[in-house]
Amino acid sequence: MNSKTLLVVALAASLAACATAPQPLQGQFTPITPREAVERDSTGAVVRWGGRIVEVEPQPNRTCFQMISTRLDVSGRPYWASDDVGGRFIACRTGFYDPAVFEKNREVTFTGRVEGYDTRRIGQYDYRLPRLAADVVYLWPVRQRVDVIERPAPWPWWGWW
């Protein structure tokens, strides 16, 4: 194989790696949102859901996360380009997940099986939430906000036409 072909193959592989989900989030999942799971009983469905943390509830042998869901991008990361959310859900996983690390509004993606439903009070509203028995809890790194500062060109005649 010559060096040009090798370079093209390496470039294609690196681009493909950017567009795929991390290994723990890969697999075949039922394409439903938490809101749809409540509307039609989806107990037993294998799903990949993600969103932002509303509350973390450590319990004696597991930790439960109350989440507000959104659609996921091609890598499985929650996508927040609009206010179109897919409802709320609860995801529980065996073990202790520190609420200081899993803070409110952090982005998390879960894979697992819908095991039932819980009713929670949000304000004055009783809200039915699907409960996910999570196999994977994937905490995404915090997105860094970048402010772009544009300075005018150093020459007064540059860029005005």
Side-chain angles (χ1 to χ4, degrees), residues 14-21 74-75:
S14 66
L15 288 175
C18 294
T20 60
V74 295
S75 67

Side-chain angles (χ1 to χ4, degrees), residues 39-120:
E39 291 169 0
R40 57 178 190 252
D41 187 6
S42 299
T43 303
V46 177
V47 296
R48 179 175 66 181
W49 289 341
R52 290 192 179 155
I53 296 173
V54 174
E55 184 181 2
V56 177
E57 306 164 2
Q59 297 173 356
N61 61 350
R62 68 181 187 169
T63 303
C64 291
F65 303 84
Q66 187 179 144
M67 304 291 297
I68 186 158
S69 75
T70 188
R71 61 189 173 102
L72 305 176
D73 65 15
V74 295
S75 67
R77 186 173 190 149
Y79 182 73
W80 294 98
S82 71
D83 289 334
D84 179 29
V85 295
R88 290 187 183 212
F89 67 95
I90 295 173
C92 298
R93 172 97 169 120
T94 303
F96 175 73
Y97 290 84
D98 195 334
V101 175
F102 289 82
E103 304 176 284
K104 183 175 182 175
N105 287 324
R106 287 293 301 269
E107 295 176 330
V108 184
T109 301
F110 301 91
T111 64
R113 188 173 301 278
V114 177
E115 70 174 358
Y117 298 89
D118 290 346
T119 300
R120 299 285 175 101

